[in-house]
Amino acid sequence: VKILERSGKMTKKKGKTTKAKKKEAVARAVIRKGKGTVRINKRNIDTIEPEYAQEFMKEPIEIAGSLASEVDIDVVVIGGGKMGQTVAARAAIAKSFLEFRKDDKLKQKYLAYDRMLLVDDPRQVEPKKQLGTKARKKKQASKR
């Protein structure tokens, strides 16, 4: 019996890992000691477009204060749309700061600012039903 070997090298990034979800988007963040760089899908957070999405993702970094300059965060986001990925990445960044340093004051700051930084949104799109174009919309019935 021949055992199949994987081609290529599988490397696991060192550091603490967190995960966040929004609709179909899933963000996984790895945090480790570093110089304060934040990357979203291997791109620096400062290069993300549109700018309002970039500012939205930077909120947990600004709240964390000096802790943000001590660590590097790599976020990988898959699935969903642009804004769903933005919200998921933002939550993953906030969770990773709390995972790196168990700080109740920071947790309270995040909860006071926006609860969605720490709590995943369980809502999903309702599945489409038969005889309709969307989940609830039906073809209008004719009177005669």
Side-chain angles (χ1 to χ4, degrees):
V1 177
K2 190 174 182 183
I3 298 172
L4 295 174
E5 292 180 7
R6 282 194 174 193
S7 60
K9 209 159 72 170
M10 297 289 286
T11 58
K12 187 168 189 278
K13 292 184 178 176
K14 301 255 190 297
K16 305 231 180 216
T17 309
T18 55
K19 185 177 95 172
K21 288 178 164 184
K22 169 71 175 173
K23 292 186 181 177
E24 289 292 311
V26 180
R28 291 179 178 86
V30 178
I31 188 169
R32 63 185 84 77
K33 283 193 183 211
K35 300 173 189 165
T37 59
V38 179
R39 287 193 195 89
I40 313 289
N41 288 345
K42 296 185 180 177
R43 289 178 55 197
N44 194 316
I45 195 167
D46 296 325
T47 64
I48 300 292
E49 290 291 329
E51 201 159 312
Y52 66 85
Q54 180 189 125
E55 290 168 9
F56 196 60
M57 283 190 271
K58 284 184 175 181
E59 286 175 354
I61 299 166
E62 291 165 7
I63 294 170
S66 62
L67 174 61
S69 60
E70 300 171 15
V71 294
D72 289 345
I73 302 174
D74 288 323
V75 184
V76 177
V77 192
I78 56 167
K82 186 170 273 191
M83 215 53 214
Q85 286 189 351
T86 302
V87 173
R90 174 182 184 243
I93 291 168
K95 287 178 180 182
S96 66
F97 279 127
L98 290 178
E99 183 73 26
F100 187 76
R101 186 169 294 156
K102 308 273 193 257
D103 188 2
D104 285 333
K105 280 187 179 179
L106 183 60
K107 184 175 183 178
Q108 291 306 317
K109 275 187 189 177
Y110 281 149
L111 289 173
Y113 184 76
D114 185 4
R115 188 172 177 267
M116 297 309 290
L117 284 169
L118 303 180
V119 180
D120 287 347
D121 196 348
R123 296 177 294 176
Q124 293 287 324
V125 177
E126 190 175 339
K128 180 193 171 298
K129 316 296 187 302
Q130 66 272 32
L131 304 175
T133 55
K134 299 196 299 190
R136 303 211 173 206
K137 186 177 178 185
K138 299 284 178 267
K139 190 173 185 295
Q140 186 172 333
S142 175
K143 296 286 184 186
R144 328 183 214 300

